[in-house]
Amino acid sequence: MTSSCSIPGLNVARSRFPEPEQDLPAGEGEQRLVLAGGCFWCVEAVFLAMDGVNRVESGYAGGSRETANYEAVCTGTTGHAEVIDVHYDPKRVSFGELLRVFFSVAHDPTQLNRQGNDRGTQYRSAVFYETPEQKRVVEAYIHQINKAGVYSEPVVTALEPLEAFYPAEANHQNFAARNPYQPYIMAVAAPKMEKLIDGFSDRLKPEYTEASAGSNSGSNLA
């Protein structure tokens, strides 16, 4: 990852992003959502803070098992994207609510095969769907965003079937919380966390809303 990132979406207020008109039913038991939005360190940090999210694991999707490692994926030739595997309680946070945060805070969905200075297909914007219902809801929400003119450019997020998820190496898990003052985290993850805390305080775990009082955004990563 490079040391800086331009995130135009951070300047777009939460109120500009419509509530999803379609969503998945709450159902029973834990559900999952696999997302690609650039550096997985930073996207992971955002979703770990959300109430109803039980756990988040960084990893790779879109390529083969043989190339599912950081060194290979960084070449941009494996077909993999850096992704996060979000496991959540649908009775506390819905699929649609997670999508709204993904498109408004976690990354800029109008950048093709890049996020800021991070360039390559491994940094593409994508939702890896497991069911036709997931695909339908994502397509509908992208249509809503484009119709509302939230961004000056159209959303380019790809919808890809989830063939397999491969966990990333241990040193990449929970990276932002373990390294809050690492330059890349301060430049890229911290602004996202600041927008999340300022704009979605009602969707956060209690420890994040409590920590935000009198704290800077970097310390909220921990």
Side-chain angles (χ1 to χ4, degrees), residues 13 26-27 39 44 54 58 100 102 121 132 136 145 169 182 195:
C39 167
E44 178 192 65
N54 297 332
S58 289
R100 192 181 187 200
F102 176 63
T121 57
R136 171 181 54 78
I145 293 173
E169 297 81 349
Q182 198 259 16
K195 179 177 182 181

Side-chain angles (χ1 to χ4, degrees), residues 32-187:
R32 73 188 297 211
L33 172 59
V34 177
L35 302 167
C39 167
F40 48 20
W41 298 342
C42 306
V43 183
E44 178 192 65
V46 168
F47 284 92
L48 279 172
M50 292 194 66
D51 188 43
V53 171
N54 297 332
R55 61 189 176 94
V56 182
E57 188 170 22
S58 289
Y60 314 107
S64 68
R65 180 181 298 277
E66 291 71 25
T67 59
N69 63 81
Y70 190 70
E71 184 176 358
V73 172
C74 280
T75 67
T77 62
T78 66
H80 280 296
E82 291 192 11
V83 300
I84 60 164
D85 186 11
V86 181
H87 292 254
Y88 66 98
D89 180 350
K91 292 188 176 180
R92 295 172 61 193
V93 61
S94 76
F95 184 85
E97 290 169 329
L98 294 174
L99 289 180
R100 192 181 187 200
V101 169
F102 176 63
F103 284 105
S104 65
V105 177
H107 80 309
D108 180 353
T110 69
Q111 296 189 354
L112 182 64
N113 294 331
R114 60 174 290 204
Q115 282 295 298
N117 294 331
D118 291 329
R119 299 169 184 267
T121 57
Q122 71 271 33
Y123 298 118
R124 66 187 181 271
S125 172
V127 177
F128 288 82
Y129 62 89
E130 289 191 288
T131 66
E133 290 74 23
Q134 284 188 339
K135 182 181 181 183
R136 171 181 54 78
V137 173
V138 178
E139 287 176 331
Y141 194 57
I142 290 174
H143 176 73
Q144 274 189 263
I145 293 173
N146 286 332
K147 184 178 180 181
V150 173
Y151 291 103
S152 58
E153 301 292 333
V155 171
V156 296
T157 304
L159 281 86
E160 304 181 35
L162 181 65
E163 303 293 343
F165 167 81
Y166 303 101
E169 297 81 349
N171 62 301
H172 293 298
Q173 305 300 333
N174 204 22
F175 187 92
R178 293 186 294 102
N179 302 275
Y181 301 109
Q182 198 259 16
Y184 183 91
I185 295 302
M186 293 182 71

